[in-house]
Amino acid sequence: MTKADKEKMNDEFMKTLMAGLQLTNIQADMLEMNMKDLDKKMSKLDDDLNEANK
């Protein structure tokens, strides 16, 4: 394998790695949004339950 081949493989690996990291970042952001939404819904449910128990 030539040095040029190794460099090309390294470049492709880095592109793939960066794409994977970007995808992971997007998934983490989506998970965070879902968790915030779930927290809001749980808080509302707790408030509703407290109101119903009065």
Side-chain angles (χ1 to χ4, degrees):
M1 184 179 291
T2 66
K3 184 176 180 178
D5 290 340
K6 288 180 183 178
E7 287 176 357
K8 184 175 180 182
M9 285 181 63
N10 188 50
D11 287 346
E12 289 301 316
F13 172 76
M14 291 304 291
K15 286 178 189 176
T16 303
L17 179 62
M18 292 303 291
L21 290 173
Q22 288 173 340
L23 182 60
T24 301
N25 227 5
I26 291 168
Q27 290 173 325
D29 289 345
M30 290 173 63
L31 179 60
E32 184 178 5
M33 287 188 304
N34 288 341
M35 293 298 290
K36 286 180 181 179
D37 187 49
L38 181 60
D39 188 49
K40 286 179 188 176
K41 289 177 180 177
M42 288 177 65
S43 292
K44 182 171 179 355
L45 178 61
D46 190 44
D47 292 344
D48 291 348
L49 286 170
N50 287 336
E51 187 65 30
N53 287 329
K54 285 185 180 178

PDB file of all heavy atoms in Angstrom, residues 12-52:
ATOM      1  N   GLU A  12     -10.770   9.211   4.147  1.00  0.00           N
ATOM      2  CA  GLU A  12     -12.108   8.621   4.105  1.00  0.00           C
ATOM      3  C   GLU A  12     -12.561   8.214   5.499  1.00  0.00           C
ATOM      4  O   GLU A  12     -13.722   8.394   5.862  1.00  0.00           O
ATOM      5  CB  GLU A  12     -12.136   7.412   3.158  1.00  0.00           C
ATOM      6  CG  GLU A  12     -12.028   7.785   1.693  1.00  0.00           C
ATOM      7  CD  GLU A  12     -13.143   8.708   1.228  1.00  0.00           C
ATOM      8  OE1 GLU A  12     -14.322   8.474   1.584  1.00  0.00           O
ATOM      9  OE2 GLU A  12     -12.837   9.687   0.514  1.00  0.00           O
ATOM     10  N   PHE A  13     -11.636   7.666   6.279  1.00  0.00           N
ATOM     11  CA  PHE A  13     -11.960   7.292   7.654  1.00  0.00           C
ATOM     12  C   PHE A  13     -12.371   8.523   8.457  1.00  0.00           C
ATOM     13  O   PHE A  13     -13.358   8.499   9.203  1.00  0.00           O
ATOM     14  CB  PHE A  13     -10.765   6.604   8.322  1.00  0.00           C
ATOM     15  CG  PHE A  13     -10.958   6.378   9.784  1.00  0.00           C
ATOM     16  CD1 PHE A  13     -11.771   5.359  10.234  1.00  0.00           C
ATOM     17  CD2 PHE A  13     -10.343   7.208  10.718  1.00  0.00           C
ATOM     18  CE1 PHE A  13     -11.972   5.154  11.600  1.00  0.00           C
ATOM     19  CE2 PHE A  13     -10.536   7.010  12.073  1.00  0.00           C
ATOM     20  CZ  PHE A  13     -11.355   5.988  12.521  1.00  0.00           C
ATOM     21  N   MET A  14     -11.622   9.612   8.306  1.00  0.00           N
ATOM     22  CA  MET A  14     -11.932  10.836   9.051  1.00  0.00           C
ATOM     23  C   MET A  14     -13.290  11.398   8.634  1.00  0.00           C
ATOM     24  O   MET A  14     -14.064  11.857   9.482  1.00  0.00           O
ATOM     25  CB  MET A  14     -10.831  11.887   8.852  1.00  0.00           C
ATOM     26  CG  MET A  14      -9.510  11.511   9.522  1.00  0.00           C
ATOM     27  SD  MET A  14      -9.661  11.191  11.295  1.00  0.00           S
ATOM     28  CE  MET A  14     -10.024  12.821  11.893  1.00  0.00           C
ATOM     29  N   LYS A  15     -13.601  11.355   7.332  1.00  0.00           N
ATOM     30  CA  LYS A  15     -14.912  11.830   6.864  1.00  0.00           C
ATOM     31  C   LYS A  15     -16.019  10.986   7.479  1.00  0.00           C
ATOM     32  O   LYS A  15     -17.044  11.518   7.926  1.00  0.00           O
ATOM     33  CB  LYS A  15     -14.991  11.754   5.336  1.00  0.00           C
ATOM     34  CG  LYS A  15     -14.192  12.805   4.619  1.00  0.00           C
ATOM     35  CD  LYS A  15     -14.312  12.615   3.105  1.00  0.00           C
ATOM     36  CE  LYS A  15     -13.351  13.496   2.349  1.00  0.00           C
ATOM     37  NZ  LYS A  15     -13.393  13.234   0.900  1.00  0.00           N
ATOM     38  N   THR A  16     -15.822   9.670   7.490  1.00  0.00           N
ATOM     39  CA  THR A  16     -16.822   8.771   8.055  1.00  0.00           C
ATOM     40  C   THR A  16     -16.973   9.006   9.553  1.00  0.00           C
ATOM     41  O   THR A  16     -18.093   9.043  10.084  1.00  0.00           O
ATOM     42  CB  THR A  16     -16.433   7.300   7.788  1.00  0.00           C
ATOM     43  OG1 THR A  16     -16.282   7.112   6.382  1.00  0.00           O
ATOM     44  CG2 THR A  16     -17.467   6.337   8.318  1.00  0.00           C
ATOM     45  N   LEU A  17     -15.857   9.175  10.227  1.00  0.00           N
ATOM     46  CA  LEU A  17     -15.883   9.442  11.661  1.00  0.00           C
ATOM     47  C   LEU A  17     -16.628  10.737  11.967  1.00  0.00           C
ATOM     48  O   LEU A  17     -17.480  10.779  12.868  1.00  0.00           O
ATOM     49  CB  LEU A  17     -14.458   9.513  12.213  1.00  0.00           C
ATOM     50  CG  LEU A  17     -14.317   9.799  13.703  1.00  0.00           C
ATOM     51  CD1 LEU A  17     -14.968   8.700  14.530  1.00  0.00           C
ATOM     52  CD2 LEU A  17     -12.852   9.953  14.075  1.00  0.00           C
ATOM     53  N   MET A  18     -16.335  11.787  11.205  1.00  0.00           N
ATOM     54  CA  MET A  18     -16.993  13.079  11.431  1.00  0.00           C
ATOM     55  C   MET A  18     -18.497  12.974  11.172  1.00  0.00           C
ATOM     56  O   MET A  18     -19.303  13.539  11.914  1.00  0.00           O
ATOM     57  CB  MET A  18     -16.362  14.161  10.559  1.00  0.00           C
ATOM     58  CG  MET A  18     -14.927  14.504  10.955  1.00  0.00           C
ATOM     59  SD  MET A  18     -14.751  15.025  12.673  1.00  0.00           S
ATOM     60  CE  MET A  18     -15.584  16.584  12.633  1.00  0.00           C
ATOM     61  N   ALA A  19     -18.876  12.247  10.116  1.00  0.00           N
ATOM     62  CA  ALA A  19     -20.306  12.075   9.825  1.00  0.00           C
ATOM     63  C   ALA A  19     -20.981  11.326  10.973  1.00  0.00           C
ATOM     64  O   ALA A  19     -22.093  11.677  11.389  1.00  0.00           O
ATOM     65  CB  ALA A  19     -20.485  11.324   8.511  1.00  0.00           C
ATOM     66  N   GLY A  20     -20.314  10.313  11.494  1.00  0.00           N
ATOM     67  CA  GLY A  20     -20.864   9.569  12.627  1.00  0.00           C
ATOM     68  C   GLY A  20     -21.005  10.436  13.863  1.00  0.00           C
ATOM     69  O   GLY A  20     -22.005  10.347  14.585  1.00  0.00           O
ATOM     70  N   LEU A  21     -20.020  11.276  14.106  1.00  0.00           N
ATOM     71  CA  LEU A  21     -20.090  12.173  15.264  1.00  0.00           C
ATOM     72  C   LEU A  21     -21.217  13.187  15.110  1.00  0.00           C
ATOM     73  O   LEU A  21     -21.913  13.503  16.083  1.00  0.00           O
ATOM     74  CB  LEU A  21     -18.757  12.886  15.467  1.00  0.00           C
ATOM     75  CG  LEU A  21     -17.614  12.000  15.957  1.00  0.00           C
ATOM     76  CD1 LEU A  21     -16.304  12.779  15.956  1.00  0.00           C
ATOM     77  CD2 LEU A  21     -17.894  11.439  17.337  1.00  0.00           C
ATOM     78  N   GLN A  22     -21.408  13.689  13.891  1.00  0.00           N
ATOM     79  CA  GLN A  22     -22.504  14.633  13.657  1.00  0.00           C
ATOM     80  C   GLN A  22     -23.853  13.959  13.883  1.00  0.00           C
ATOM     81  O   GLN A  22     -24.753  14.544  14.494  1.00  0.00           O
ATOM     82  CB  GLN A  22     -22.420  15.203  12.240  1.00  0.00           C
ATOM     83  CG  GLN A  22     -21.276  16.170  12.054  1.00  0.00           C
ATOM     84  CD  GLN A  22     -21.094  16.611  10.608  1.00  0.00           C
ATOM     85  OE1 GLN A  22     -21.559  15.956   9.690  1.00  0.00           O
ATOM     86  NE2 GLN A  22     -20.400  17.713  10.421  1.00  0.00           N
ATOM     87  N   LEU A  23     -23.977  12.730  13.412  1.00  0.00           N
ATOM     88  CA  LEU A  23     -25.218  11.985  13.603  1.00  0.00           C
ATOM     89  C   LEU A  23     -25.467  11.741  15.090  1.00  0.00           C
ATOM     90  O   LEU A  23     -26.589  11.914  15.576  1.00  0.00           O
ATOM     91  CB  LEU A  23     -25.149  10.655  12.847  1.00  0.00           C
ATOM     92  CG  LEU A  23     -26.385   9.771  12.915  1.00  0.00           C
ATOM     93  CD1 LEU A  23     -27.598  10.499  12.340  1.00  0.00           C
ATOM     94  CD2 LEU A  23     -26.145   8.482  12.158  1.00  0.00           C
ATOM     95  N   THR A  24     -24.431  11.389  15.810  1.00  0.00           N
ATOM     96  CA  THR A  24     -24.564  11.158  17.250  1.00  0.00           C
ATOM     97  C   THR A  24     -24.971  12.445  17.959  1.00  0.00           C
ATOM     98  O   THR A  24     -25.804  12.426  18.880  1.00  0.00           O
ATOM     99  CB  THR A  24     -23.236  10.628  17.825  1.00  0.00           C
ATOM    100  OG1 THR A  24     -22.905   9.404  17.158  1.00  0.00           O
ATOM    101  CG2 THR A  24     -23.333  10.367  19.309  1.00  0.00           C
ATOM    102  N   ASN A  25     -24.412  13.553  17.516  1.00  0.00           N
ATOM    103  CA  ASN A  25     -24.765  14.861  18.093  1.00  0.00           C
ATOM    104  C   ASN A  25     -26.238  15.173  17.856  1.00  0.00           C
ATOM    105  O   ASN A  25     -26.930  15.655  18.759  1.00  0.00           O
ATOM    106  CB  ASN A  25     -23.895  15.940  17.441  1.00  0.00           C
ATOM    107  CG  ASN A  25     -23.294  16.880  18.443  1.00  0.00           C
ATOM    108  OD1 ASN A  25     -23.434  16.699  19.635  1.00  0.00           O
ATOM    109  ND2 ASN A  25     -22.624  17.896  17.938  1.00  0.00           N
ATOM    110  N   ILE A  26     -26.721  14.906  16.648  1.00  0.00           N
ATOM    111  CA  ILE A  26     -28.128  15.146  16.317  1.00  0.00           C
ATOM    112  C   ILE A  26     -29.016  14.267  17.190  1.00  0.00           C
ATOM    113  O   ILE A  26     -30.018  14.731  17.744  1.00  0.00           O
ATOM    114  CB  ILE A  26     -28.386  14.881  14.819  1.00  0.00           C
ATOM    115  CG1 ILE A  26     -27.701  15.959  13.984  1.00  0.00           C
ATOM    116  CG2 ILE A  26     -29.879  14.829  14.518  1.00  0.00           C
ATOM    117  CD1 ILE A  26     -27.635  15.643  12.495  1.00  0.00           C
ATOM    118  N   GLN A  27     -28.634  12.998  17.337  1.00  0.00           N
ATOM    119  CA  GLN A  27     -29.428  12.084  18.166  1.00  0.00           C
ATOM    120  C   GLN A  27     -29.442  12.539  19.618  1.00  0.00           C
ATOM    121  O   GLN A  27     -30.484  12.458  20.280  1.00  0.00           O
ATOM    122  CB  GLN A  27     -28.875  10.658  18.055  1.00  0.00           C
ATOM    123  CG  GLN A  27     -29.118  10.028  16.707  1.00  0.00           C
ATOM    124  CD  GLN A  27     -28.420   8.692  16.540  1.00  0.00           C
ATOM    125  OE1 GLN A  27     -27.323   8.492  17.057  1.00  0.00           O
ATOM    126  NE2 GLN A  27     -29.055   7.788  15.831  1.00  0.00           N
ATOM    127  N   ALA A  28     -28.331  13.026  20.109  1.00  0.00           N
ATOM    128  CA  ALA A  28     -28.267  13.516  21.493  1.00  0.00           C
ATOM    129  C   ALA A  28     -29.169  14.732  21.672  1.00  0.00           C
ATOM    130  O   ALA A  28     -29.877  14.848  22.681  1.00  0.00           O
ATOM    131  CB  ALA A  28     -26.829  13.852  21.874  1.00  0.00           C
ATOM    132  N   ASP A  29     -29.166  15.627  20.686  1.00  0.00           N
ATOM    133  CA  ASP A  29     -30.036  16.806  20.753  1.00  0.00           C
ATOM    134  C   ASP A  29     -31.509  16.400  20.745  1.00  0.00           C
ATOM    135  O   ASP A  29     -32.327  16.960  21.484  1.00  0.00           O
ATOM    136  CB  ASP A  29     -29.753  17.755  19.587  1.00  0.00           C
ATOM    137  CG  ASP A  29     -28.422  18.469  19.706  1.00  0.00           C
ATOM    138  OD1 ASP A  29     -27.825  18.464  20.801  1.00  0.00           O
ATOM    139  OD2 ASP A  29     -27.954  19.028  18.683  1.00  0.00           O
ATOM    140  N   MET A  30     -31.844  15.418  19.898  1.00  0.00           N
ATOM    141  CA  MET A  30     -33.233  14.946  19.833  1.00  0.00           C
ATOM    142  C   MET A  30     -33.644  14.299  21.150  1.00  0.00           C
ATOM    143  O   MET A  30     -34.753  14.516  21.636  1.00  0.00           O
ATOM    144  CB  MET A  30     -33.410  13.968  18.669  1.00  0.00           C
ATOM    145  CG  MET A  30     -33.317  14.631  17.310  1.00  0.00           C
ATOM    146  SD  MET A  30     -33.319  13.446  15.942  1.00  0.00           S
ATOM    147  CE  MET A  30     -34.921  12.707  16.132  1.00  0.00           C
ATOM    148  N   LEU A  31     -32.754  13.517  21.738  1.00  0.00           N
ATOM    149  CA  LEU A  31     -33.035  12.881  23.017  1.00  0.00           C
ATOM    150  C   LEU A  31     -33.247  13.933  24.102  1.00  0.00           C
ATOM    151  O   LEU A  31     -34.174  13.823  24.915  1.00  0.00           O
ATOM    152  CB  LEU A  31     -31.894  11.938  23.401  1.00  0.00           C
ATOM    153  CG  LEU A  31     -32.033  11.224  24.733  1.00  0.00           C
ATOM    154  CD1 LEU A  31     -33.294  10.357  24.764  1.00  0.00           C
ATOM    155  CD2 LEU A  31     -30.797  10.382  25.009  1.00  0.00           C
ATOM    156  N   GLU A  32     -32.409  14.956  24.090  1.00  0.00           N
ATOM    157  CA  GLU A  32     -32.553  16.029  25.080  1.00  0.00           C
ATOM    158  C   GLU A  32     -33.897  16.732  24.926  1.00  0.00           C
ATOM    159  O   GLU A  32     -34.585  17.009  25.921  1.00  0.00           O
ATOM    160  CB  GLU A  32     -31.415  17.038  24.936  1.00  0.00           C
ATOM    161  CG  GLU A  32     -31.446  18.119  25.993  1.00  0.00           C
ATOM    162  CD  GLU A  32     -30.298  19.095  25.893  1.00  0.00           C
ATOM    163  OE1 GLU A  32     -29.498  19.012  24.938  1.00  0.00           O
ATOM    164  OE2 GLU A  32     -30.194  19.949  26.784  1.00  0.00           O
ATOM    165  N   MET A  33     -34.315  17.005  23.678  1.00  0.00           N
ATOM    166  CA  MET A  33     -35.623  17.641  23.452  1.00  0.00           C
ATOM    167  C   MET A  33     -36.754  16.732  23.936  1.00  0.00           C
ATOM    168  O   MET A  33     -37.711  17.201  24.556  1.00  0.00           O
ATOM    169  CB  MET A  33     -35.812  17.968  21.976  1.00  0.00           C
ATOM    170  CG  MET A  33     -34.979  19.132  21.488  1.00  0.00           C
ATOM    171  SD  MET A  33     -35.361  19.675  19.796  1.00  0.00           S
ATOM    172  CE  MET A  33     -35.137  18.190  18.850  1.00  0.00           C
ATOM    173  N   ASN A  34     -36.636  15.441  23.655  1.00  0.00           N
ATOM    174  CA  ASN A  34     -37.666  14.501  24.099  1.00  0.00           C
ATOM    175  C   ASN A  34     -37.735  14.433  25.620  1.00  0.00           C
ATOM    176  O   ASN A  34     -38.826  14.352  26.195  1.00  0.00           O
ATOM    177  CB  ASN A  34     -37.405  13.102  23.527  1.00  0.00           C
ATOM    178  CG  ASN A  34     -37.677  13.009  22.048  1.00  0.00           C
ATOM    179  OD1 ASN A  34     -38.367  13.839  21.480  1.00  0.00           O
ATOM    180  ND2 ASN A  34     -37.130  11.990  21.410  1.00  0.00           N
ATOM    181  N   MET A  35     -36.580  14.469  26.277  1.00  0.00           N
ATOM    182  CA  MET A  35     -36.555  14.427  27.737  1.00  0.00           C
ATOM    183  C   MET A  35     -37.174  15.691  28.328  1.00  0.00           C
ATOM    184  O   MET A  35     -37.906  15.625  29.318  1.00  0.00           O
ATOM    185  CB  MET A  35     -35.120  14.250  28.244  1.00  0.00           C
ATOM    186  CG  MET A  35     -34.512  12.908  27.909  1.00  0.00           C
ATOM    187  SD  MET A  35     -35.387  11.517  28.645  1.00  0.00           S
ATOM    188  CE  MET A  35     -34.980  11.755  30.353  1.00  0.00           C
ATOM    189  N   LYS A  36     -36.900  16.839  27.722  1.00  0.00           N
ATOM    190  CA  LYS A  36     -37.494  18.093  28.209  1.00  0.00           C
ATOM    191  C   LYS A  36     -39.007  18.058  28.040  1.00  0.00           C
ATOM    192  O   LYS A  36     -39.753  18.487  28.924  1.00  0.00           O
ATOM    193  CB  LYS A  36     -36.899  19.288  27.468  1.00  0.00           C
ATOM    194  CG  LYS A  36     -35.491  19.625  27.898  1.00  0.00           C
ATOM    195  CD  LYS A  36     -34.939  20.820  27.148  1.00  0.00           C
ATOM    196  CE  LYS A  36     -33.520  21.131  27.575  1.00  0.00           C
ATOM    197  NZ  LYS A  36     -32.951  22.268  26.840  1.00  0.00           N
ATOM    198  N   ASP A  37     -39.467  17.536  26.884  1.00  0.00           N
ATOM    199  CA  ASP A  37     -40.899  17.431  26.628  1.00  0.00           C
ATOM    200  C   ASP A  37     -41.548  16.474  27.636  1.00  0.00           C
ATOM    201  O   ASP A  37     -42.612  16.762  28.190  1.00  0.00           O
ATOM    202  CB  ASP A  37     -41.143  16.949  25.198  1.00  0.00           C
ATOM    203  CG  ASP A  37     -42.605  16.975  24.809  1.00  0.00           C
ATOM    204  OD1 ASP A  37     -43.266  18.009  25.040  1.00  0.00           O
ATOM    205  OD2 ASP A  37     -43.092  15.946  24.287  1.00  0.00           O
ATOM    206  N   LEU A  38     -40.901  15.358  27.890  1.00  0.00           N
ATOM    207  CA  LEU A  38     -41.413  14.394  28.867  1.00  0.00           C
ATOM    208  C   LEU A  38     -41.471  15.013  30.259  1.00  0.00           C
ATOM    209  O   LEU A  38     -42.446  14.819  30.992  1.00  0.00           O
ATOM    210  CB  LEU A  38     -40.538  13.142  28.873  1.00  0.00           C
ATOM    211  CG  LEU A  38     -40.946  12.028  29.833  1.00  0.00           C
ATOM    212  CD1 LEU A  38     -42.352  11.529  29.516  1.00  0.00           C
ATOM    213  CD2 LEU A  38     -39.941  10.888  29.763  1.00  0.00           C
ATOM    214  N   ASP A  39     -40.457  15.779  30.617  1.00  0.00           N
ATOM    215  CA  ASP A  39     -40.434  16.436  31.924  1.00  0.00           C
ATOM    216  C   ASP A  39     -41.601  17.414  32.057  1.00  0.00           C
ATOM    217  O   ASP A  39     -42.260  17.468  33.105  1.00  0.00           O
ATOM    218  CB  ASP A  39     -39.099  17.159  32.120  1.00  0.00           C
ATOM    219  CG  ASP A  39     -38.944  17.702  33.521  1.00  0.00           C
ATOM    220  OD1 ASP A  39     -39.183  16.934  34.485  1.00  0.00           O
ATOM    221  OD2 ASP A  39     -38.578  18.886  33.664  1.00  0.00           O
ATOM    222  N   LYS A  40     -41.884  18.175  30.986  1.00  0.00           N
ATOM    223  CA  LYS A  40     -43.025  19.107  31.011  1.00  0.00           C
ATOM    224  C   LYS A  40     -44.332  18.351  31.202  1.00  0.00           C
ATOM    225  O   LYS A  40     -45.194  18.746  31.984  1.00  0.00           O
ATOM    226  CB  LYS A  40     -43.089  19.915  29.710  1.00  0.00           C
ATOM    227  CG  LYS A  40     -42.042  20.977  29.583  1.00  0.00           C
ATOM    228  CD  LYS A  40     -42.184  21.703  28.247  1.00  0.00           C
ATOM    229  CE  LYS A  40     -41.031  22.637  27.992  1.00  0.00           C
ATOM    230  NZ  LYS A  40     -41.113  23.260  26.660  1.00  0.00           N
ATOM    231  N   LYS A  41     -44.484  17.238  30.457  1.00  0.00           N
ATOM    232  CA  LYS A  41     -45.712  16.458  30.554  1.00  0.00           C
ATOM    233  C   LYS A  41     -45.863  15.851  31.943  1.00  0.00           C
ATOM    234  O   LYS A  41     -46.967  15.812  32.487  1.00  0.00           O
ATOM    235  CB  LYS A  41     -45.728  15.363  29.487  1.00  0.00           C
ATOM    236  CG  LYS A  41     -45.932  15.906  28.086  1.00  0.00           C
ATOM    237  CD  LYS A  41     -45.874  14.811  27.034  1.00  0.00           C
ATOM    238  CE  LYS A  41     -46.072  15.386  25.641  1.00  0.00           C
ATOM    239  NZ  LYS A  41     -45.937  14.340  24.606  1.00  0.00           N
ATOM    240  N   MET A  42     -44.773  15.372  32.507  1.00  0.00           N
ATOM    241  CA  MET A  42     -44.834  14.787  33.852  1.00  0.00           C
ATOM    242  C   MET A  42     -45.167  15.856  34.888  1.00  0.00           C
ATOM    243  O   MET A  42     -45.928  15.595  35.822  1.00  0.00           O
ATOM    244  CB  MET A  42     -43.515  14.096  34.175  1.00  0.00           C
ATOM    245  CG  MET A  42     -43.317  12.813  33.387  1.00  0.00           C
ATOM    246  SD  MET A  42     -41.733  12.016  33.695  1.00  0.00           S
ATOM    247  CE  MET A  42     -41.916  11.572  35.406  1.00  0.00           C
ATOM    248  N   SER A  43     -44.622  17.053  34.725  1.00  0.00           N
ATOM    249  CA  SER A  43     -44.934  18.145  35.652  1.00  0.00           C
ATOM    250  C   SER A  43     -46.405  18.517  35.568  1.00  0.00           C
ATOM    251  O   SER A  43     -47.064  18.738  36.597  1.00  0.00           O
ATOM    252  CB  SER A  43     -44.075  19.369  35.340  1.00  0.00           C
ATOM    253  OG  SER A  43     -42.730  19.116  35.640  1.00  0.00           O
ATOM    254  N   LYS A  44     -46.928  18.576  34.337  1.00  0.00           N
ATOM    255  CA  LYS A  44     -48.353  18.887  34.167  1.00  0.00           C
ATOM    256  C   LYS A  44     -49.208  17.793  34.778  1.00  0.00           C
ATOM    257  O   LYS A  44     -50.200  18.074  35.455  1.00  0.00           O
ATOM    258  CB  LYS A  44     -48.701  19.062  32.693  1.00  0.00           C
ATOM    259  CG  LYS A  44     -50.164  19.425  32.492  1.00  0.00           C
ATOM    260  CD  LYS A  44     -50.490  19.810  31.092  1.00  0.00           C
ATOM    261  CE  LYS A  44     -51.932  20.160  30.836  1.00  0.00           C
ATOM    262  NZ  LYS A  44     -52.891  20.009  31.880  1.00  0.00           N
ATOM    263  N   LEU A  45     -48.831  16.551  34.565  1.00  0.00           N
ATOM    264  CA  LEU A  45     -49.573  15.444  35.158  1.00  0.00           C
ATOM    265  C   LEU A  45     -49.547  15.532  36.677  1.00  0.00           C
ATOM    266  O   LEU A  45     -50.589  15.338  37.337  1.00  0.00           O
ATOM    267  CB  LEU A  45     -48.988  14.112  34.691  1.00  0.00           C
ATOM    268  CG  LEU A  45     -49.628  12.849  35.256  1.00  0.00           C
ATOM    269  CD1 LEU A  45     -51.105  12.780  34.874  1.00  0.00           C
ATOM    270  CD2 LEU A  45     -48.882  11.622  34.759  1.00  0.00           C
ATOM    271  N   ASP A  46     -48.397  15.844  37.241  1.00  0.00           N
ATOM    272  CA  ASP A  46     -48.285  15.991  38.690  1.00  0.00           C
ATOM    273  C   ASP A  46     -49.171  17.120  39.184  1.00  0.00           C
ATOM    274  O   ASP A  46     -49.877  16.982  40.191  1.00  0.00           O
ATOM    275  CB  ASP A  46     -46.827  16.247  39.064  1.00  0.00           C
ATOM    276  CG  ASP A  46     -46.589  16.171  40.567  1.00  0.00           C
ATOM    277  OD1 ASP A  46     -47.107  15.233  41.199  1.00  0.00           O
ATOM    278  OD2 ASP A  46     -45.876  17.054  41.091  1.00  0.00           O
ATOM    279  N   ASP A  47     -49.164  18.246  38.457  1.00  0.00           N
ATOM    280  CA  ASP A  47     -50.030  19.373  38.837  1.00  0.00           C
ATOM    281  C   ASP A  47     -51.495  18.973  38.761  1.00  0.00           C
ATOM    282  O   ASP A  47     -52.303  19.312  39.641  1.00  0.00           O
ATOM    283  CB  ASP A  47     -49.769  20.578  37.929  1.00  0.00           C
ATOM    284  CG  ASP A  47     -48.400  21.200  38.138  1.00  0.00           C
ATOM    285  OD1 ASP A  47     -47.764  20.899  39.181  1.00  0.00           O
ATOM    286  OD2 ASP A  47     -47.968  21.978  37.262  1.00  0.00           O
ATOM    287  N   ASP A  48     -51.868  18.269  37.688  1.00  0.00           N
ATOM    288  CA  ASP A  48     -53.256  17.826  37.520  1.00  0.00           C
ATOM    289  C   ASP A  48     -53.669  16.872  38.636  1.00  0.00           C
ATOM    290  O   ASP A  48     -54.786  16.955  39.160  1.00  0.00           O
ATOM    291  CB  ASP A  48     -53.462  17.155  36.157  1.00  0.00           C
ATOM    292  CG  ASP A  48     -53.365  18.142  34.990  1.00  0.00           C
ATOM    293  OD1 ASP A  48     -53.366  19.370  35.243  1.00  0.00           O
ATOM    294  OD2 ASP A  48     -53.264  17.680  33.844  1.00  0.00           O
ATOM    295  N   LEU A  49     -52.759  15.953  38.994  1.00  0.00           N
ATOM    296  CA  LEU A  49     -53.057  15.014  40.076  1.00  0.00           C
ATOM    297  C   LEU A  49     -53.208  15.745  41.424  1.00  0.00           C
ATOM    298  O   LEU A  49     -54.112  15.438  42.205  1.00  0.00           O
ATOM    299  CB  LEU A  49     -51.983  13.942  40.175  1.00  0.00           C
ATOM    300  CG  LEU A  49     -52.008  12.881  39.083  1.00  0.00           C
ATOM    301  CD1 LEU A  49     -50.739  12.036  39.161  1.00  0.00           C
ATOM    302  CD2 LEU A  49     -53.236  12.027  39.189  1.00  0.00           C
ATOM    303  N   ASN A  50     -52.336  16.710  41.648  1.00  0.00           N
ATOM    304  CA  ASN A  50     -52.443  17.491  42.882  1.00  0.00           C
ATOM    305  C   ASN A  50     -53.765  18.268  42.937  1.00  0.00           C
ATOM    306  O   ASN A  50     -54.387  18.349  43.985  1.00  0.00           O
ATOM    307  CB  ASN A  50     -51.251  18.465  43.020  1.00  0.00           C
ATOM    308  CG  ASN A  50     -49.967  17.748  43.367  1.00  0.00           C
ATOM    309  OD1 ASN A  50     -49.982  16.657  43.921  1.00  0.00           O
ATOM    310  ND2 ASN A  50     -48.845  18.370  43.037  1.00  0.00           N
ATOM    311  N   GLU A  51     -54.157  18.827  41.801  1.00  0.00           N
ATOM    312  CA  GLU A  51     -55.417  19.567  41.727  1.00  0.00           C
ATOM    313  C   GLU A  51     -56.587  18.638  41.963  1.00  0.00           C
ATOM    314  O   GLU A  51     -57.542  18.995  42.666  1.00  0.00           O
ATOM    315  CB  GLU A  51     -55.527  20.253  40.355  1.00  0.00           C
ATOM    316  CG  GLU A  51     -56.701  21.169  40.216  1.00  0.00           C
ATOM    317  CD  GLU A  51     -56.671  22.394  41.130  1.00  0.00           C
ATOM    318  OE1 GLU A  51     -55.565  22.858  41.451  1.00  0.00           O
ATOM    319  OE2 GLU A  51     -57.751  22.867  41.523  1.00  0.00           O
ATOM    320  N   ALA A  52     -56.537  17.446  41.396  1.00  0.00           N
ATOM    321  CA  ALA A  52     -57.629  16.481  41.548  1.00  0.00           C
ATOM    322  C   ALA A  52     -57.738  15.987  42.990  1.00  0.00           C
ATOM    323  O   ALA A  52     -58.829  15.634  43.442  1.00  0.00           O
ATOM    324  CB  ALA A  52     -57.426  15.306  40.607  1.00  0.00           C
TER     325      ALA A  52
END
